[in-house]
Amino acid sequence: VPQHNTTGMGMPPMSLTPSSSSSSTSTAQQPPTASPQPSNVAKQPSKGLKLSRQQLAVAQEIFREAPQLNKQQKALILAFMAGSRENPLPGHEVISIKLNQRQQQEYVQTTEGSRRIRNVQLETVFEMNYTTGQWRKLQVKRPLD
């Protein structure tokens, strides 16, 4: 997954989730489910921020997978990818935006050595680290039973 380090300004999002995940694997443990709203952040235009063709292609693919994102969430992702480091949730260095979710079944090994089916929810998350300037797209797996 591409990761970028740049600086700039962006627009605030809605329904963001602080994340405490710091590993670089593509599957992470459960991030916090609280969705605090940005505090005292006014809308600001994205001044001087530009995406490369490669960044634009990645952003288009992300948005194709996440049609439920609102304009502010899309603007935040685009601004972050273009270099904005204006954190809409001060005090939270890593912020995650859920791109999509689905349920599936998987086989798991029991302690007795047999296999059983387990229901899981897979969430695809876009994670932005405002300290390092890096972003990543990852899968979060949550057991349902």
Side-chain angles (χ1 to χ4, degrees):
V1 173
Q3 298 188 357
H4 303 277
N5 287 319
T6 52
T7 58
M9 292 175 50
M11 294 179 62
M14 292 179 65
S15 300
L16 300 179
T17 305
S19 176
S20 60
S21 174
S22 62
S23 69
S24 61
T25 61
S26 62
T27 302
Q29 297 299 318
Q30 292 182 351
T33 56
S35 296
Q37 295 297 315
S39 58
N40 301 326
V41 178
K43 288 187 180 182
Q44 296 185 8
S46 300
K47 298 177 184 175
L49 297 178
K50 294 188 179 185
L51 292 174
S52 69
R53 286 180 192 242
Q54 181 182 11
Q55 288 172 317
L56 185 56
V58 170
Q60 288 174 334
E61 179 62 28
I62 289 169
F63 298 153
R64 196 175 3 259
E65 294 174 17
Q68 81 288 350
L69 291 179
N70 64 41
K71 288 181 181 181
Q72 289 181 321
Q73 290 168 322
K74 289 179 181 180
L76 181 70
I77 290 171
L78 289 171
F80 190 88
M81 290 175 78
S84 173
R85 296 301 172 261
E86 184 178 318
N87 189 338
L89 296 174
H92 299 283
E93 69 180 50
V94 179
I95 296 175
S96 297
I97 297 175
K98 186 188 314 183
L99 300 176
N100 61 44
Q101 69 182 23
R102 63 186 166 91
Q103 292 183 8
Q104 73 177 34
Q105 294 181 332
E106 67 180 13
Y107 287 102
V108 292
Q109 196 78 21
T110 65
T111 55
E112 296 83 32
S114 62
R115 292 172 45 169
R116 72 171 187 88
I117 294 177
R118 175 174 73 172
N119 294 313
V120 295
Q121 179 169 301
L122 290 177
E123 293 181 358
T124 304
V125 177
F126 186 82
E127 183 178 88
M128 300 170 285
N129 187 319
Y130 281 88
T131 300
T132 66
Q134 295 182 329
W135 62 267
R136 62 187 178 157
K137 192 172 101 174
L138 53 106
Q139 291 271 314
V140 178
K141 186 186 297 187
R142 297 185 179 157
L144 296 175
D145 53 344

